[in-house]
Amino acid sequence: MINQVLQKLEHNTKSNLIKKDIINYFLNNGHSTIAEISKDLGLSVPTITKQINSMTEDSLIADYGKFQTAEGRHPNIFGLNSEAAYFIGVDMAHRNLNIALMDFGGHLVRSEMNIQYLYENTNEKLDELCAHVLNFINELPADIQKKIVKVNLNIPGRVNPKSGYSYIIFYLSDVPLSKVMSEKLQYSVGVDNDTRAMAYGEYIQGVQGKAKDVIFINMSWGLGIGIIIDGKPFYGKSGFSGEFGHFPAFDNEIICPCGKKGCIETEASGRAIHGMVLERIKRGESSLITTLVDDLEKITLSDIICAVKQEDTMCIEIVEEVGAKLGRYVAGLINIFNPELLVIGGQMAETGPFLMLPIKGAIQKFSLNLVNKDSEIVLSKLKDKAGVYGACLLARNNFIKK
């Protein structure tokens, strides 16, 4: 039923364009009255009423009852019907997958976190990824499976959401990754950059303030930023915006995964922290890490974060040193963008004040006082779920285009 309704909306008639405007209004603003929708969209009340009635008959919109006002008639509140459609978000991290189901109203219905999955750039690993997604879907009730209209995959590196190509991970043929996965899953699949999805998830469901201009710093194994301008993700011309980790910053001989030397990521990322921890332990420095793992070659960022939380001196020193380096260049971002809100997220954000305080100190030192005074700096509230929230929300936002 839902797919037939959506297929009708693909035809850009005047009526359908208004319906898409109303859907996007609800996506961005939540429940509302006809009068408020009419005012914000600049359309007459009879026009909005007609389309609302039509969409209610199609079960896209639900009537949520009367809005209580101090006096006069109580208008009805309308919003998206949460059970009309569902969306799957897949967040691909360095060593695991997170998969979630979101309803049309933006509620996370089910999630499965930290599914064991070690990425390799092979067709076999792509098949394994698809198998995990299908297993998740097949465990859902049959009526929900029929209402899944979009799957969105977060993936690190350069991704062009419009063309569906991923140019770093699973660039295995001339066919767009989105098309390959759509055929394998038998659902419509979109792809997007992982950090941009995290930024959008945090913007919509995490910090949830009034800020419209937001920068999200994703410090996980790598380093990237997601940019929200006037409430919308900023993609750039080809979808490659946010490659902050590959800004040339250091005069070193460390080769970055991008193939160049001296990128910020070489000295300010989870990968950099991991390398520094290994180097100092091999030099003979003491650390709780050696009691947490038997094989030093198998140390993970989770192990390092655990040591930091247990106040391991060496790991704290490294995190603080890297935080200060990162903060210097984040100060440059603030000078350029003058954002209302800057969110520190990604796996290394789990170290909390040990990372945050040196970042803030460097920002105060290196950014312009007049520029940074109105920029609030906070830790991610969604934490490890920012990615799956963002993947689901982008699927929901992109499933219907004008």
Side-chain angles (χ1 to χ4, degrees), residues 88-298:
I88 298 288
V90 184
D91 184 43
M92 185 172 149
H94 182 55
R95 291 177 178 269
N96 61 273
L97 289 174
N98 302 316
I99 307 176
L101 173 76
M102 179 176 283
D103 66 24
F104 201 19
H107 311 104
L108 214 61
V109 177
R110 182 173 181 266
S111 64
E112 190 172 343
M113 305 296 290
N114 298 312
I115 301 168
Q116 188 173 356
Y117 175 79
L118 185 59
Y119 157 75
E120 293 173 4
N121 200 34
T122 64
N123 283 302
E124 290 74 19
K125 279 295 182 178
L126 177 57
D127 288 338
E128 183 183 336
L129 169 66
C130 292
H132 282 301
V133 178
L134 285 174
N135 287 339
F136 180 89
I137 293 174
N138 290 335
E139 291 176 359
L140 299 172
D143 61 323
I144 288 181
Q145 292 183 37
K146 293 177 182 178
K147 294 180 181 179
I148 295 172
V149 296
K150 191 78 175 182
V151 177
N152 196 80
L153 170 69
N154 296 348
I155 197 163
R158 266 72 78 200
V159 181
N160 188 328
K162 289 185 178 180
S163 67
Y165 279 100
S166 167
Y167 291 94
I168 302 299
I169 294 177
F170 294 140
Y171 188 39
L172 302 170
S173 72
D174 292 333
V175 181
L177 178 61
S178 60
K179 183 176 181 181
V180 172
M181 290 190 66
S182 295
E183 292 175 352
K184 290 178 180 291
L185 298 179
Q186 293 299 296
Y187 287 98
S188 174
V189 177
V191 294
D192 212 320
N193 173 264
D194 59 342
T195 303
R196 184 160 45 234
M198 293 169 73
Y200 192 64
E202 193 70 51
Y203 170 71
I204 297 294
Q205 296 278 20
V207 290
Q208 289 183 304
K210 294 181 179 180
K212 293 292 185 182
D213 299 314
V214 180
I215 294 178
F216 181 92
I217 308 288
N218 176 18
M219 191 179 187
S220 297
W221 187 249
L223 178 69
I225 64 171
I227 306 165
I228 306 291
I229 297 178
D230 195 25
K232 298 177 182 178
F234 177 73
Y235 286 87
K237 174 63 177 177
S238 306
F240 303 152
S241 69
E243 293 292 345
F244 178 57
H246 302 295
F247 185 89
F250 303 110
D251 186 15
N252 62 36
E253 293 300 310
I254 303 174
I255 299 176
C256 181
C258 73
K260 301 184 185 298
K261 297 179 181 179
C263 296
I264 294 179
E265 190 170 305
T266 62
E267 296 192 29
S269 64
R271 181 187 288 105
I273 290 172
H274 183 269
M276 293 166 72
V277 167
L278 281 179
E279 182 182 348
R280 288 177 62 166
I281 289 176
K282 289 177 180 178
R283 289 206 310 251
E285 293 191 42
S286 61
S287 169
L288 286 173
I289 290 285
T290 56
T291 66
L292 295 173
V293 294
D294 297 326
D295 185 352
L296 292 182
E297 297 303 320
K298 294 183 179 180

Side-chain angles (χ1 to χ4, degrees), residues 2-58:
I2 182 63
N3 288 319
Q4 294 174 351
V5 172
L6 297 178
Q7 284 174 5
K8 288 194 296 184
L9 285 177
E10 290 179 357
H11 303 288
N12 283 332
T13 63
K14 183 178 180 180
S15 176
N16 282 346
L17 289 174
I18 295 173
K19 288 179 180 178
K20 292 176 183 180
D21 281 336
I22 292 172
I23 290 174
N24 285 319
Y25 179 89
F26 284 130
L27 290 177
N28 295 318
N29 299 282
H31 299 175
S32 192
T33 66
I34 287 178
E36 290 171 334
I37 300 169
S38 172
K39 179 180 177 181
D40 288 348
L41 295 184
L43 296 168
S44 70
V45 168
T47 297
I48 297 298
T49 301
K50 178 182 177 181
Q51 301 304 334
I52 289 285
N53 290 339
S54 173
M55 296 165 78
T56 302
E57 290 178 5
D58 286 334

